[in-house]
Amino acid sequence: MDTPNTTTTHAWACNEHTRRGDLVVMYCLSPRSYIHSIWRADSNGIFNPFDYYKSRTTMRDKVVIPRITIQDLRNDTYFALLPIVKKNLQGLNGVQLSANDYTELLRLIK
């Protein structure tokens, strides 16, 4: 895993309920289609009806993780049952993961 970069922040689309300090799991869509990294939200989600993505946050402390593909999630006994995985991660932006989901994600990372 990469070491966090605490000095750089990036604006990103998020759920408007995102709060500063939340963990943000970054899933890259096609052509990559894998979980790429985990970030820390540096600001609350800000709703802007005039922005294409509607809601944004700033993120920091990126940690790149080993690739976890949609196929890995489908083949996993835990993640295969999650509604968002059943929907092929469509509408993924802003989906809240539970503490148990995150614990299971850490299991996959190991």
Side-chain angles (χ1 to χ4, degrees), residues 21-55:
D22 284 354
L23 293 175
V24 178
V25 177
M26 181 69 67
Y27 183 84
C28 298
L29 295 173
S30 101
R32 296 177 181 170
S33 301
Y34 65 91
I35 297 175
H36 171 270
S37 53
I38 300 174
W39 300 67
R40 177 77 62 186
D42 197 42
S43 65
N44 291 341
I46 301 166
F47 179 75
N48 180 352
F50 303 108
D51 189 348
Y52 179 78
Y53 293 105
K54 305 291 186 230
S55 207

Side-chain angles (χ1 to χ4, degrees), residues 17-101:
H17 301 294
T18 301
R19 294 293 166 248
R20 185 171 192 230
D22 284 354
L23 293 175
V24 178
V25 177
M26 181 69 67
Y27 183 84
C28 298
L29 295 173
S30 101
R32 296 177 181 170
S33 301
Y34 65 91
I35 297 175
H36 171 270
S37 53
I38 300 174
W39 300 67
R40 177 77 62 186
D42 197 42
S43 65
N44 291 341
I46 301 166
F47 179 75
N48 180 352
F50 303 108
D51 189 348
Y52 179 78
Y53 293 105
K54 305 291 186 230
S55 207
R56 295 218 179 238
T57 188
T58 54
M59 302 187 316
R60 62 177 167 79
D61 300 344
K62 173 177 119 178
V63 177
V64 176
I65 63 171
R67 292 181 182 192
I68 299 173
T69 65
I70 181 66
Q71 199 58 45
D72 295 333
L73 296 174
R74 285 186 196 132
N75 292 335
D76 184 76
T77 55
Y78 180 84
F79 284 99
L81 301 176
L82 290 183
I84 192 65
V85 174
K86 289 181 179 181
K87 295 189 318 184
N88 295 319
L89 300 176
Q90 297 299 309
L92 180 66
N93 191 32
V95 171
Q96 184 174 354
L97 296 176
S98 69
N100 195 46
D101 296 341

